[in-house]
Amino acid sequence: MTMKDEFLADQQQISVSPVNDKAGLKAFVEIAYDLNASDPAWVPPLRAEVYEMFNPAKNPFYGHATVQPMIATRGGKTVGRISAHIDHLALTQPVEQGMGPGTGNFGMFEAADEDVARALLAAAEQWLRDQGMTRALGPLSLSIWDEPGLLTFGHDRPPIIMMGHHNAAYQGWIERAGYTPAKKLLSYELPIVEGFSPLIQRIVAAGRKNERIRLRKVDKSRFDEDAATILAILNDAWGENWGFVPITDAEVAYIGKKLRPLVREDLIMIAEYDGRPVAFLMTLPDINTVIAPLKGSLFPFGWAKLLWWLRTCRSPSVRVPLMGVVKDLQNTRMAAQLAFMLIETIRVEAVKHYGTVRGEIGWVLEDNQGMNAIADAIESKINREYLIYEKSL
């Protein structure tokens, strides 16, 4: 081997290093914009949001998690990134629910090619082993409540608010690195202008005649109280679901503060039965349509565009990220009736006040029979699929 050959080989060597300073974090953030610049369906997140995600002083996820972001370099150039992290609340969950002792996670995965992908995954796995973990589960970026899973179907369209989008090649790279699917997550879409079938309308009409049932909008003047009510229903309703990790009070306050500008009182509703809150449905307007052209920055004119949209909030698309019915009513006719009542009431409000023409529901676990049945009943179609992978360490 000549000296020139040795130099070229060295230039191709991939190095993965932990991010522990501002320069490293900047490289970690920017590589996503570099690698996805040519993908017309990728929606660049606001850089400030990504930096805040990795700020322990601001992100309450760090209150119960250990996080190590990493970057890959080759020939002095950043070529990928990954986060290895351990959610200590997830370690306390039952193994049969997907998390449990020994389960660490990876996320924020971006790679220039398969060699980089293998190096990043290997580095994340070693970090997890060093922390005593015996299984890697991911991608989760960062929490199960943020953007879980790798997009494996639906790459042809931009994602709606708080949904992930990934290079289609990543699936093969991850699977060839020894990962197997642990769970599939589904997203449904449906046109909402025309309303639902006569059967659904009869179910809703019967519920509205029931004096024991009351639907109410959230009240932004006491939003913290309503957020706590929703959290209580959510933790009860989802407590036995695969992948469940309790949401802490600090996270509720943080999420509430961040989402508050997006909250429209008539798009988030709570159902009460005999005065007891028993169900809720959260719907969010799709801010991605405004964020996409900003290329990750609010300057110089992004602030004005965003503020104008938040004030007028015309949103052709909305997403239902969360919905829940308390455990003691699940698998009953009442649960389905409450769900249809919430969906129909919010559908009417979205069409009337925000110019909405389509909705998305998701993500939904592939084996959540109740939610999948509701999605089928309102004639929605699967438009995106995500896979969460696992590997023994």
Side-chain angles (χ1 to χ4, degrees), residues 6 13 21 32 35 53 65 106 142 154 160 168 179 185 232 243 256 260 269 287 338 361 363:
E6 290 178 353
Q13 185 176 357
D21 56 27
L35 293 180
M53 182 183 295
F106 73 90
L142 292 169
I160 200 166
Y179 286 83
L185 312 176
R260 192 176 186 119
M269 291 194 170
I287 197 173
L338 292 172
I361 302 172
W363 46 266

Side-chain angles (χ1 to χ4, degrees), residues 25-40:
L25 185 58
K26 181 178 180 180
F28 181 91
V29 172
E30 290 300 324
I31 187 59
Y33 298 87
D34 295 340
L35 293 180
N36 292 290
S38 62
D39 186 346

Side-chain angles (χ1 to χ4, degrees), residues 30-160:
E30 290 300 324
I31 187 59
Y33 298 87
D34 295 340
L35 293 180
N36 292 290
S38 62
D39 186 346
W42 189 66
V43 177
L46 295 176
R47 285 175 172 82
E49 296 292 316
V50 185
Y51 279 108
E52 187 170 313
M53 182 183 295
F54 288 89
N55 185 338
K58 293 186 176 181
N59 187 352
F61 180 68
Y62 280 80
H64 55 87
T66 304
V67 181
Q68 181 58 70
M70 308 175 190
I71 56 172
T73 57
R74 181 170 52 199
K77 180 181 178 181
T78 304
V79 289
R81 75 179 190 189
I82 199 167
S83 169
H85 48 279
I86 299 168
D87 185 337
H88 300 287
L89 288 180
L91 299 182
T92 68
Q93 300 305 301
V95 173
E96 61 271 17
Q97 286 184 223
M99 296 292 186
T103 297
N105 307 120
F106 73 90
M108 306 299 291
F109 178 76
E110 301 284 357
D113 55 46
E114 187 165 2
D115 289 338
V116 174
R118 283 183 174 271
L120 286 166
L121 290 166
E125 291 161 12
Q126 188 58 53
W127 184 88
L128 291 173
R129 288 191 198 96
D130 292 344
Q131 304 298 314
M133 298 297 102
T134 57
R135 174 175 174 251
L137 184 76
L140 303 180
S141 302
L142 292 169
S143 162
I144 189 71
W145 297 105
D146 292 330
E147 292 184 3
L150 180 82
L151 182 69
T152 56
F153 171 75
H155 297 89
D156 58 330
R157 66 188 73 189
I160 200 166

Side-chain angles (χ1 to χ4, degrees), residues 39 61 76 83 111 121 156 173 177 184 188 225 229 271 327 365:
D39 186 346
F61 180 68
S83 169
L121 290 166
D156 58 330
W173 299 351
K184 181 183 290 186
Y188 292 88
E225 181 181 337
T229 297
K327 192 178 303 180
L365 294 169

Side-chain angles (χ1 to χ4, degrees), residues 116-336:
V116 174
R118 283 183 174 271
L120 286 166
L121 290 166
E125 291 161 12
Q126 188 58 53
W127 184 88
L128 291 173
R129 288 191 198 96
D130 292 344
Q131 304 298 314
M133 298 297 102
T134 57
R135 174 175 174 251
L137 184 76
L140 303 180
S141 302
L142 292 169
S143 162
I144 189 71
W145 297 105
D146 292 330
E147 292 184 3
L150 180 82
L151 182 69
T152 56
F153 171 75
H155 297 89
D156 58 330
R157 66 188 73 189
I160 200 166
I161 179 173
M162 297 171 67
M163 298 289 278
H165 182 84
H166 311 101
N167 185 333
Y170 289 177
Q171 180 176 6
W173 299 351
I174 289 174
E175 291 178 0
R176 285 191 289 273
Y179 286 83
T180 57
K183 186 65 66 173
K184 181 183 290 186
L185 312 176
L186 308 175
S187 175
Y188 292 88
E189 70 172 345
L190 69 159
I192 66 170
V193 174
E194 299 300 326
F196 303 125
S197 69
L199 174 60
I200 301 300
Q201 297 295 347
R202 288 195 296 270
I203 293 172
V204 171
R208 287 173 175 166
K209 293 177 182 178
N210 188 339
E211 295 182 355
R212 302 174 71 181
I213 298 174
R214 173 185 175 236
L215 302 189
R216 68 173 180 85
K217 306 172 185 178
V218 297
D219 185 346
K220 289 185 77 169
S221 68
R222 56 186 187 103
F223 187 68
D224 291 345
E225 181 181 337
D226 278 347
T229 297
I230 289 173
L231 170 65
I233 297 172
L234 181 67
N235 280 337
D236 180 72
W238 288 44
E240 296 180 0
N241 282 7
W242 187 94
F244 175 78
V245 178
I247 303 178
T248 66
D249 291 342
E251 286 172 310
V252 171
Y254 178 72
I255 295 169
K257 182 179 179 180
K258 292 183 74 66
L259 291 183
R260 192 176 186 119
L262 288 176
V263 168
R264 299 298 179 267
E265 293 178 325
D266 48 0
L267 296 185
I268 303 177
M269 291 194 170
I270 296 170
E272 297 176 351
Y273 187 70
D274 289 339
R276 171 197 173 202
V278 294
F280 78 94
L281 190 146
M282 174 184 290
T283 308
L284 297 174
D286 185 23
I287 197 173
N288 277 8
T289 57
V290 183
I291 288 178
L294 303 183
K295 307 299 183 184
S297 176
L298 288 174
F299 300 100
F301 304 114
W303 279 109
K305 293 179 181 178
L306 185 57
L307 289 173
W308 175 255
W309 182 85
L310 288 171
R311 177 173 293 183
T312 59
C313 197
R314 304 298 291 176
S315 185
S317 299
V318 296
R319 178 191 171 207
V320 177
L322 292 173
M323 179 179 182
V325 180
V326 292
K327 192 178 303 180
D328 60 286
L329 289 181
Q330 291 176 9
N331 301 316
T332 67
R333 290 184 180 181
M334 175 62 68

